[in-house]
């Protein structure tokens, strides 16, 4: 980053010049003129030290630093939030796979077998199937949300995570 005080004074110019001119008059007599000079230039007003521009550049640099800090904080918050969501969805999927779905499948099978013997009405069997299918839909929703949280984590950390296949375990 350039130091804002580098442009404190307006440009100062220093230079040298040289010119040569030859003229011929009617009598074919030539005259040669040679001019050399030294040049120094300084912008007016002399008391202007560009303090306004210096403060503006300092404020822009401070603002850029604050924006970088805010971006870092946002990325860290995204990492924490996505990791937390991944853990919660992984727990939910684990409970559904290990306890809830097997129990719903057992209940549905028991009701189906009792329906075949005439002990349970068909509506109970259909209700049990609907509950099991709803639980499977919830599992798929949780798996989708887990993968979305995983994508947010990867985007926030700029790292690669191995794919989790069919489950979030």
């Amino acid at each position: 980053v350039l130091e804002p005080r580098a442009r404190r004074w307006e440009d100062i110019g220093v230079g040298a010049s040289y010119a040569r001119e030859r003229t011929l008059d009617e009598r074919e007599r030539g005259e040669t003129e040679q001019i050399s000079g030294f040049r120094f230039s300084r912008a007016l007003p002399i008391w202007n030290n560009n303090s306004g521009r210096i403060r503006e550049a300092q404020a822009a640099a401070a603002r850029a630093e604050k924006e970088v800090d805010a971006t870092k904080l946002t990325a860290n918050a995204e990492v924490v939030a996505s990791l937390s969501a991944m853990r919660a969805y992984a727990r939910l999927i684990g409970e559904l796979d290990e306890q809830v779905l097997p129990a719903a499948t057992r209940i549905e099978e028991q009701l189906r077998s009792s329906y075949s013997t005439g002990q349970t009405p068909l509506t109970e069997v259909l209700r049990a199937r609907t509950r099991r299918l709803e639980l499977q839909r919830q599992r798929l929703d949780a798996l989708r949300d887990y993968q979305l949280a995983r994508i947010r984590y990867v985007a926030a950390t700029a790292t690669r995570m191995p794919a989790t296949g069919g489950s979030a375990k």
Side-chain angles (χ1 to χ4, degrees):
V1 176
L2 292 175
E3 178 68 29
R5 291 186 208 98
R7 305 240 355 165
R8 184 174 189 155
W9 301 104
E10 292 293 325
D11 291 337
I12 296 175
V14 177
S17 63
Y18 173 77
R20 181 176 174 186
E21 183 177 315
R22 183 167 172 90
T23 58
L24 294 173
D25 56 7
E26 298 174 3
R27 292 179 238 138
E28 304 247 350
R29 214 168 112 213
E31 264 183 42
T32 304
E33 290 182 18
Q34 297 181 5
I35 300 171
S36 61
F38 178 74
R39 180 178 71 241
F40 175 80
S41 63
R42 167 78 168 90
L44 291 177
I46 294 175
W47 57 87
N48 182 9
N49 62 2
N50 278 332
S51 61
R53 286 187 184 165
I54 291 171
R55 284 192 301 272
E56 180 184 357
Q58 289 170 337
R63 183 175 52 247
E65 285 180 27
K66 298 291 184 191
E67 288 174 359
V68 167
D69 292 342
T71 302
K72 285 179 185 178
L73 288 173
T74 302
N76 287 338
E78 184 66 28
V79 167
V80 169
S82 59
L83 276 176
S84 175
M86 286 171 59
R87 287 185 188 115
Y89 288 124
R91 264 192 316 271
L92 176 61
I93 292 168
E95 288 176 14
L96 286 169
D97 284 346
E98 294 167 8
Q99 297 171 1
V100 179
L101 281 171
T105 303
R106 268 193 316 275
I107 292 170
E108 182 185 351
E109 288 172 0
Q110 289 170 353
L111 288 172
R112 197 177 7 204
S113 70
S114 65
Y115 169 73
S116 64
T117 62
Q119 297 174 354
T120 305
L122 179 61
T123 56
E124 290 298 318
V125 176
L126 294 176
R127 237 182 258 139
R129 179 174 290 161
T130 302
R131 282 187 224 124
R132 182 182 56 82
L133 292 174
E134 176 65 23
L135 289 170
Q136 285 180 332
R137 187 192 59 77
Q138 287 177 359
R139 183 196 182 279
L140 290 175
D141 289 347
L143 184 59
R144 179 202 59 215
D145 293 339
Y146 172 86
Q147 293 298 338
L148 290 173
R150 183 179 163 275
I151 289 168
R152 285 193 308 272
Y153 174 82
V154 168
T157 60
T159 60
R160 294 189 61 157
M161 290 181 67
T164 57
S167 70
K169 294 179 188 175

